[in-house]
Amino acid sequence: MIHKKALIHESAIVDEDCEIGAGSRIWHFCHLISGCRIGRDCSLGQNVMVASGVVLGNNVKVQNNVSLYEGVVCEDDVFVGPSAVFTNVFNPRSAVPRKHEYRQTKVCRGATIGANATIICGIEIGHHAFIGAGAVVTRNVAPYSLVVGNPARHAGWMSECGHHLRFQPDGTARCPESGSLYRYDKGKVLKLNEDGCR
């Protein structure tokens, strides 16, 4: 079902049985394949492909030239930068059919994936994690973690507004934009109050 308040550019191809929520915008040369689900207020930039079975939550932003293959799930408020790459088979071979081996990749609420990053299938990117531009992510990423490089390595912690968290000796850090307070404890970051970035 395509909501009447969704905007679809005339050059986009939307197959039957796609679900598109109110306020979502599908731009030039996109292709949405039967069985995908797009939530409310999403934006798909130019030349985005969304495969069957892909699920995007609400307010997901997918920039130009991204292919979301079967098995990708993005929760609410996810940002996917231009030309980011997802896979869905771990060891592809042209001569060996492996469609039955597709692996799910889950991008949790509020996470950011930078431009040209590559996400190897079968992993989970934690909520509000931040994947640096060009990173090659081969394993799970913790919530609020910043990862960079090839292969991607932990390089710090980010607030929900996307600012580096600088922890004090007492284990706390405050987001300079929202004022939200975070605590580092035993290798994990927890948000201590509900102040948001909006």
Side-chain angles (χ1 to χ4, degrees):
M1 173 182 168
I2 300 173
H3 196 280
K4 63 182 179 181
K5 291 187 177 179
L7 183 154
I8 300 173
H9 191 269
E10 61 184 10
S11 66
I13 298 172
V14 179
D15 294 346
E16 293 182 3
D17 300 321
C18 293
E19 183 178 319
I20 304 174
S24 287
R25 297 166 306 285
I26 313 301
W27 292 109
H28 306 67
F29 314 119
C30 290
H31 185 190
L32 277 61
I33 297 174
S34 295
C36 68
R37 291 171 30 211
I38 312 296
R40 299 186 312 274
D41 300 315
C42 294
S43 177
L44 305 186
Q46 180 174 300
N47 196 37
V48 170
M49 188 282 293
V50 185
S52 179
V54 169
V55 178
L56 304 184
N58 300 322
N59 194 42
V60 174
K61 304 293 191 285
V62 182
Q63 303 300 298
N64 296 354
N65 305 314
V66 175
S67 292
L68 301 170
Y69 295 112
E70 187 172 340
V72 173
V73 175
C74 296
E75 295 184 343
D76 295 351
D77 302 320
V78 164
F79 177 91
V80 182
S83 301
V85 174
F86 290 84
T87 70
N88 62 1
V89 175
F90 188 74
N91 57 339
R93 289 290 199 193
S94 178
V96 182
R98 290 205 162 106
K99 289 185 177 180
H100 62 286
E101 296 181 18
Y102 287 166
R103 299 186 185 188
Q104 185 182 76
T105 299
K106 184 177 181 182
V107 185
C108 296
R109 178 176 51 90
T112 289
I113 297 173
N116 288 303
T118 298
I119 313 299
I120 302 302
C121 60
I123 66 170
E124 179 172 302
I125 296 174
H127 66 86
H128 299 99
F130 202 105
I131 312 302
V136 178
V137 183
T138 60
R139 57 187 177 180
N140 291 346
V141 178
Y144 300 112
S145 180
L146 166 66
V147 299
V148 299
N150 179 8
R153 305 286 188 204
H154 176 77
W157 302 97
M158 301 289 272
S159 74
E160 292 184 7
C161 294
H163 294 282
H164 236 116
L165 291 172
R166 307 190 190 290
F167 287 94
Q168 303 302 310
D170 67 355
T172 63
R174 195 171 292 277
C175 174
E177 183 171 342
S178 69
S180 295
L181 190 65
Y182 296 81
R183 178 179 296 280
Y184 177 83
D185 183 39
K186 297 178 182 176
K188 296 181 180 179
V189 168
L190 304 172
K191 188 178 177 186
L192 299 181
N193 58 20
E194 291 304 316
D195 294 341
C197 299
R198 300 180 198 172

